[in-house]
Amino acid sequence: MLTSSQESLDKNQLLFDVWNGRIPKRVPLLPFFGIDVALEYAGIQTNNRDLNAQEVLNAAEYLSGTIKSDILPIAFLSSTETQRFGYPDNRKIRCFSELPEYNEIAAKHKKATVPFCGFAATVPLACMHNRYSEERSHERSVVKSGSNSEYNDYDILLKKCCFNGMENGTKHHRIALFPILSDGTDITAFEKIYWPNFQSFCNELDSNGYGISLILDADWENYTDFLLDLPENTQIKFRTADAKSIKSKLGAKHILCGLYPAELLQSRGRQECCDKAKQLLDMLAPGGKYSFGLNRVIHKCDEINFDNLNAVLETAERYGKY
């Protein structure tokens, strides 16, 4: 077993400081890629065949050794991928950090060895509908009959969020949640049904000691005020939002992440890409509570120019001082 280097320990400390509301030495770098990117990048041909765990680990290690980041740049195996790799699909998104080899790969490549998160789940609007609704007893009977998703039951979902079976965690045990908003979400339904239950769910995770990381893939511009009600130091990864606005609204309470437009890395020159990173850092880093990341997970190699990406990450590492 590899011993963590001082560089790995320093990167752990960057994350600990941000998650605990302290100002770290510099802005942490948190780019994320889907496992298919790692496989393609490592030259592993899938040809629609089943892959073994060692191939997945080899690909993850290869990508980790070539991308500048403070964590292993693969966070999750998606629901589709869990089926490909022999894991059951229960709307749980398997975290790469759950694999026993995670720390060994991280230590080898001098990344942070602290697991980024221990559980991830999609949370669509419907699944929080019945926690405190007037028809709660009827809805529970539907759940028991097997006619609906297990995630309609708040208590079951909460139980599944225990980090590797631990009843109580620390802020270093991050729970990743994907609150799903569909196009045309009704604001009244969101405000009166979804949000009170989702907030209650997050509050209970917080009371059990866990840190929360939200991944917001939809446009949350009309809902950012609600995010203020979540437990302090919730990490929020935005795909799209006005950086100055969310810094003003949320930056004093929550940890902001994301927002760097991945499409820029494919369509623009290196200097313009690096200048955009500086612009975001100027707006989001002051006062702390910020980690640098792309606005979305990259799923195919041709979505970005990797030379531009590494130039941007090097810029963020050098320029990203609080």
Side-chain angles (χ1 to χ4, degrees):
M1 180 178 292
L2 291 174
T3 302
S4 295
S5 65
Q6 186 59 50
E7 190 171 350
S8 285
L9 296 176
D10 289 344
K11 290 178 177 179
N12 284 349
Q13 193 61 49
L14 291 177
L15 297 178
F16 293 160
D17 285 344
V18 170
W19 291 339
N20 286 285
R22 299 189 294 264
I23 297 180
K25 291 182 178 179
R26 63 167 174 82
V27 174
L29 309 179
L30 306 180
F32 289 122
F33 300 84
I35 192 65
D36 282 333
V37 171
L39 292 165
E40 183 181 353
Y41 200 71
I44 297 175
Q45 300 296 319
T46 58
N47 298 322
N48 296 319
R49 64 182 175 85
D50 291 335
L51 298 166
N52 60 54
Q54 192 57 54
E55 287 178 303
V56 175
L57 290 167
N58 289 346
E61 181 170 357
Y62 183 80
L63 184 67
S64 298
T66 55
I67 297 296
K68 181 176 285 295
S69 62
D70 291 319
I71 40 78
L72 292 185
I74 296 172
F76 311 108
L77 302 177
S78 74
S79 297
T80 301
E81 290 158 351
T82 60
Q83 292 177 317
R84 289 172 55 194
F85 305 134
Y87 304 122
D89 178 11
N90 290 323
R91 290 209 197 176
K92 176 178 177 180
I93 300 174
R94 184 174 175 84
C95 298
F96 190 71
S97 56
E98 291 179 13
L99 301 181
E101 297 86 354
Y102 179 92
N103 275 5
E104 184 176 351
I105 295 174
K108 179 178 179 180
H109 294 287
K110 299 180 180 179
K111 311 290 189 186
T113 53
V114 59
F116 185 74
C117 69
F119 179 93
T122 55
V123 188
L125 187 147
C127 76
M128 288 296 177
H129 184 281
N130 68 348
R131 175 59 174 172
Y132 298 116
S133 71
E134 294 179 357
E135 298 180 4
R136 184 168 184 264
S137 60
H138 168 70
E139 294 290 341
R140 283 188 175 274
S141 70
V142 173
V143 171
K144 289 179 181 178
S145 70
S147 301
N148 214 331
S149 163
E150 65 177 293
Y151 288 105
N152 279 351
D153 191 322
Y154 172 101
D155 299 312
I156 292 176
L157 182 54
L158 179 64
K159 184 176 180 181
K160 284 180 175 292
C161 279
C162 288
F163 189 99
N164 292 333
M166 295 169 53
E167 291 185 1
N168 295 291
T170 74
K171 295 305 177 185
H172 307 160
H173 298 137
R174 311 300 293 185
I175 303 299
L177 299 174
F178 299 74
I180 304 300
L181 293 180
S182 59
D183 290 340
T185 295
D186 180 73
I187 186 68
T188 301
F190 179 90
E191 183 176 0
K192 295 188 178 300
I193 298 174
Y194 183 83
W195 189 252
N197 294 291
F198 183 75
Q199 182 186 352
S200 177
F201 175 52
C202 291
N203 286 342
E204 193 154 354
L205 287 174
D206 180 69
S207 69
N208 286 340
Y210 295 102
I212 300 166
S213 294
L214 300 188
I215 293 88
L216 307 181
D217 273 343
D219 182 359
W220 277 71
E221 204 71 56
N222 294 328
Y223 303 93
T224 51
D225 288 344
F226 291 93
L227 298 171
L228 272 174
D229 297 330
L230 294 177
E232 187 173 8
N233 289 325
T234 293
Q235 180 164 290
I236 307 173
K237 181 179 177 65
F238 286 91
R239 179 161 185 161
T240 177
D242 180 82
K244 184 177 291 187
S245 175
I246 65 166
K247 179 67 174 181
S248 174
K249 288 182 179 179
L250 305 174
K253 183 174 183 180
H254 295 317
I255 302 161
L256 305 178
C257 188
L259 285 177
Y260 187 93
E263 59 274 10
L264 221 63
L265 299 171
Q266 181 67 306
S267 62
R268 305 299 173 86
R270 182 175 302 182
Q271 188 60 53
E272 185 174 351
C273 291
C274 293
D275 287 345
K276 180 63 175 180
K278 290 181 179 180
Q279 181 187 45
L280 284 173
L281 287 161
D282 284 341
M283 286 189 285
L284 296 170
K289 293 183 183 285
Y290 173 62
S291 297
F292 185 85
L294 304 181
N295 63 338
R296 59 184 175 83
V297 175
I298 304 302
H299 292 290
K300 294 182 179 179
C301 283
D302 62 8
E303 292 178 10
I304 62 170
N305 179 312
F306 279 87
D307 289 337
N308 281 350
L309 172 65
N310 273 322
V312 163
L313 293 171
E314 287 171 3
T315 297
E317 182 181 49
R318 182 179 64 255
Y319 190 80
K321 308 295 184 184
Y322 293 98

